[in-house]
Amino acid sequence: MATLEKFGHKPTVVENGVQVLTQIDKDNYDLILMDIRMPEMSGPEATRAIRARTNALAKILIIALTADAMEEYIQGYLVLIYHQCLHHNDI
C-alpha cells in the first residue's frame, strides 16, 4: 500500500470478490490487483463476473496476484483474460 501511495495512487482494499464487484460500481478505477484466493468469491470468479458485464468495466485492467507456483495454474488464470499474472517471486 505504501509503495502505491508513494507514487500517487489511492488504493482501495477489499476482503473478497463480492466486495470487489460492489466497490468497482462505487468508484472509478484504472486497474484491479486481484488476489486469486479470496474468501466468499475467488479472484477468478470475480474476474468472470467483471468480464461478463456489458459496460466499460468489462475491459478494466486486471492483474492477478498469486502464490501458486505451478505453470498450469498460472496459464489457467491468464485464460480468464487477466492482463498479467504475478507470482509472489516476481514482485
Side-chain angles (χ1 to χ4, degrees):
M1 293 282 291
T3 301
L4 293 172
E5 290 169 346
K6 178 181 173 183
F7 289 101
H9 301 288
K10 298 176 184 166
T12 300
V13 177
V14 298
E15 296 181 14
N16 60 57
V18 173
Q19 292 177 359
V20 169
L21 298 179
T22 301
Q23 191 61 43
I24 64 173
D25 287 330
K26 292 180 181 178
D27 236 327
N28 293 321
Y29 294 94
D30 297 319
L31 70 95
I32 298 172
L33 299 176
M34 180 86 73
D35 190 0
I36 294 295
R37 300 188 187 270
M38 293 185 288
E40 206 167 329
M41 177 185 276
S42 70
E45 291 171 318
T47 298
R48 283 187 203 96
I50 292 167
R51 297 293 182 237
R53 292 176 177 222
T54 57
N55 59 15
L57 287 173
K59 296 187 186 303
I60 192 168
L61 177 65
I62 301 175
I63 299 174
L65 302 175
T66 183
D68 285 337
M70 298 182 70
E71 185 63 29
E72 62 264 21
Y73 290 139
I74 292 170
Q75 290 306 313
Y77 302 142
L78 291 173
V79 167
L80 290 171
I81 314 175
Y82 284 110
H83 291 87
Q84 182 62 273
C85 186
L86 297 178
H87 182 271
H88 67 88
N89 290 334
D90 296 334
I91 300 173

